[in-house]
Amino acid sequence: MSYDFEVDKIIEEIRKRSAKKVLLQFPEGIKPFSIGLLERLRETAKDIEFVISSDASWGACDVAEDEARTLGVDLIIHFGHTPYTWYYPKFPTLFIELKSKLNVEEEQIEKLIQYINEKYNPRTVSLSSTIQHSHLLPKIKEKMQSQFNVIIGKPSSPFMHDGQILGCDYKAVVNSSADVYVNVSGGVFHALGVGLTTRKPIVKLDPYTSKNEDLTDEVYRILKIRYGKIMKALDSRNWAIIQGVKTGQNRPLMVKYLQKKLEEKGYKVFIITNRSLNVDALRNIDNPEIDSFIVTSCPRLPIDDLFEYEKPVLTPGEAKMIIFSKLDEYIFPW
């Protein structure tokens, strides 16, 4: 396995908590490892009943508390995340970070230095990563700091590591006035979030492909789409606010705040609850009385999953831009 599943720690915690039935919850992309891990756990803990959750898990905001209660388990093992800044599960939960065993070769770092020097000639570079690669940041900083002033920012939570960002939390980069941002991650999801937050050049260093990718143009393409949605929503009179009902995604204060501000402008507001929002769920509730939607459960849903919907589907930050008539600075994520 290319990740550290910390099997010894899991067994130790199960024994310490006297758990007899355990629910294993994995993020998307890691689920294929679940059966192999289950077999390893059974070898050591033959007296423990393990159950694998196949429901989608999108972050530490999405811990399977309801599922655990339904199944009557004693403990949730939640893989791939650190505890969430604004929510900690009430159900007994052990977080396993899943640190990647992949390394970053010096050649890849040297190519990164050469590229950003030639393309942007920055004085200050900000480094960030997902939790899986946060342990690589000091090494990368050491190699880069001979060329640049390198910043690894502080996260929003004491549970998180320096430089660690989430799909909805970029505190580790927002306070750094860098010229270029480098994000260590696979895929483009997290790096795009850094770019949308900072509106500065963003280059992804990918440990899985051993390649570097400049996503700056892609960020600007997405921003054009988002501003198109915002401009279309300016004429909206009837708004639907989607309130997430997953425990870690339920933000009633934000819903009430947006409702109050919209109604003060004379708009009609509908509150709609949802657990797993997608195009089909949105289309099933949509009707001519609704002009635009605001999603309060996860700010990445409007940008990544619902951007092609025929009506504007906005993040809370985008809704605030309209409410306060301030379109000059894009607000992301909240």
Side-chain angles (χ1 to χ4, degrees):
M1 295 184 182
S2 56
Y3 298 92
D4 183 4
F5 283 86
E6 301 186 70
V7 173
D8 291 341
K9 178 181 178 179
I10 292 172
I11 298 299
E12 180 182 349
E13 285 292 326
I14 289 174
R15 299 302 186 197
K16 185 187 299 183
R17 299 171 189 239
S18 301
K20 297 300 180 184
K21 188 173 182 180
V22 177
L23 179 65
L24 306 177
Q25 185 183 23
F26 302 86
E28 307 310 291
I30 303 296
K31 285 184 172 66
F33 295 102
S34 60
I35 297 299
L37 176 64
L38 176 60
E39 292 181 336
R40 289 178 61 186
L41 292 172
R42 281 177 171 173
E43 290 174 2
T44 308
K46 292 181 170 53
D47 57 323
I48 305 300
E49 181 181 357
F50 294 99
V51 182
I52 297 173
S53 172
S54 67
D55 273 357
S57 174
W58 303 110
C61 62
D62 196 5
V63 178
E65 294 191 74
D66 292 343
E67 187 177 350
R69 293 187 180 94
T70 299
L71 294 172
V73 305
D74 306 305
L75 178 67
I76 300 170
I77 310 292
H78 182 91
F79 293 92
H81 306 107
T82 50
Y84 191 43
T85 304
W86 299 283
Y87 147 76
Y88 195 92
K90 294 180 174 62
F91 196 94
T93 303
L94 173 64
F95 288 88
I96 299 295
E97 296 181 353
L98 282 190
K99 288 292 180 64
S100 173
K101 297 178 182 179
L102 296 175
N103 203 351
V104 177
E105 300 298 330
E106 290 191 16
E107 181 182 0
Q108 185 178 3
I109 301 175
E110 290 170 357
K111 288 181 179 179
L112 174 69
I113 292 171
Q114 181 180 356
Y115 176 81
I116 61 178
N117 244 334
E118 294 177 353
K119 182 71 180 287
Y120 299 109
N121 190 28
R123 301 179 70 178
T124 302
V125 175
S126 171
L127 283 180
S128 63
S129 74
T130 56
I131 178 59
Q132 279 69 45
H133 311 291
S134 59
H135 58 290
L136 297 176
L137 294 184
K139 170 188 174 180
I140 298 170
K141 178 179 179 179
E142 182 181 359
K143 297 296 181 184
M144 296 184 71
Q145 63 186 1
S146 62
Q147 298 284 326
F148 319 108
N149 174 34
V150 181
I151 301 172
I152 299 177
K154 294 294 182 182
S156 62
S157 166
F159 294 110
M160 298 167 67
H161 298 268
D162 287 356
Q164 181 189 342
I165 52 100
L166 307 175
C168 63
D169 184 344
Y170 299 91
K171 180 69 178 298
V173 300
V174 294
N175 291 331
S176 59
S177 55
D179 303 305
V180 172
Y181 290 78
V182 173
N183 181 253
V184 184
S185 61
V188 299
F189 180 84
H190 292 91
L192 288 177
V194 173
L196 290 170
T197 302
T198 64
R199 277 89 64 199
K200 294 284 190 69
I202 172 68
V203 180
K204 181 194 66 168
L205 187 154
D206 194 326
Y208 301 94
T209 63
S210 298
K211 295 180 180 179
N212 307 316
E213 183 178 3
D214 192 332
L215 294 170
T216 306
D217 289 344
E218 178 63 12
V219 169
Y220 286 129
R221 186 189 72 83
I222 293 173
L223 280 172
K224 290 178 183 178
I225 293 173
R226 299 318 304 166
Y227 267 100
K229 302 291 183 182
I230 293 168
M231 298 306 291
K232 187 176 180 181
L234 284 174
D235 296 326
S236 298
R237 305 293 300 179
N238 301 329
W239 293 78
I241 301 176
I242 308 293
Q243 179 173 352
V245 291
K246 289 186 178 183
T247 307
Q249 297 183 348
N250 184 9
R251 296 179 172 83
L253 295 179
M254 180 181 290
V255 171
K256 290 297 182 184
Y257 171 81
L258 293 172
Q259 180 181 10
K260 179 175 180 290
K261 292 300 181 181
L262 289 168
E263 288 178 343
E264 286 176 352
K265 295 177 76 71
Y267 301 151
K268 186 183 292 186
V269 179
F270 308 99
I271 308 299
I272 300 172
T273 63
N274 178 271
R275 186 169 184 83
S276 297
L277 188 63
N278 54 42
V279 171
D280 289 337
L282 201 60
R283 188 161 286 127
N284 282 335
I285 195 64
D286 196 1
N287 67 73
E289 286 293 309
I290 299 173
D291 298 320
S292 293
F293 295 87
I294 306 171
V295 177
T296 63
S297 55
C298 174
R300 296 306 294 262
L301 284 170
I303 291 172
D304 296 284
D305 295 348
L306 303 170
F307 69 97
E308 289 186 329
Y309 197 71
E310 48 267 24
K311 292 181 181 180
V313 183
L314 305 184
T315 69
E318 293 167 345
K320 290 177 185 176
M321 293 168 65
I322 292 176
I323 289 169
F324 296 108
S325 301
K326 294 183 178 180
L327 305 182
D328 54 332
E329 184 173 351
Y330 185 70
I331 300 176
F332 181 80
W334 302 111

